[in-house]
Amino acid sequence: MSDEDIRVLPLTKGRVQCRPEKKEPVDHCALCIHCREFSVQGKWVKSPSLAYCSRCRVTERVDLARVESVRCADRQGEGFHSITSIIG
């Protein structure tokens, strides 16, 4: 996946504009298959949703209260899609 496939979604009042008609709370991003990274105090931190990715194996926690923006890899406009439907 190239950088062109990644959208940077800024937070507004704890929510991101996931789709044109839908805003999602940032805590949903931590469980979304499309979420790649969170910007926390100017540093990009991998999303906890990547914990089950065989390439990434993320185990780091993210302080969602400090998130400024989200890197999202939703290329088809699906919006929030929980990882629990995949791992459950």
Side-chain angles (χ1 to χ4, degrees):
M1 178 170 293
S2 71
D3 287 342
E4 294 172 1
D5 296 327
I6 304 292
R7 297 182 301 152
V8 176
L9 307 174
L11 256 70
T12 305
K13 297 180 182 177
R15 299 172 92 70
V16 294
Q17 190 74 49
C18 188
R19 294 178 18 196
E21 70 283 357
K22 181 84 169 157
K23 288 186 179 184
E24 293 284 349
V26 72
D27 58 321
H28 283 190
C29 296
L31 296 173
C32 182
I33 64 170
H34 303 299
C35 185
R36 295 296 178 261
E37 295 177 298
F38 293 96
S39 175
V40 179
Q41 296 181 326
K43 177 183 170 190
W44 288 103
V45 180
K46 296 283 184 193
S47 173
S49 67
L50 297 174
Y52 298 95
C53 173
S54 60
R55 282 184 28 198
C56 300
R57 299 274 189 223
V58 174
T59 58
E60 187 176 348
R61 287 194 176 263
V62 176
D63 184 353
L64 295 174
R66 294 182 150 179
V67 171
E68 300 155 352
S69 59
V70 175
R71 283 189 176 155
C72 176
D74 182 3
R75 292 178 279 175
Q76 297 178 333
E78 292 179 352
F80 172 69
H81 189 123
S82 177
I83 61 169
T84 59
S85 64
I86 296 169
I87 62 172

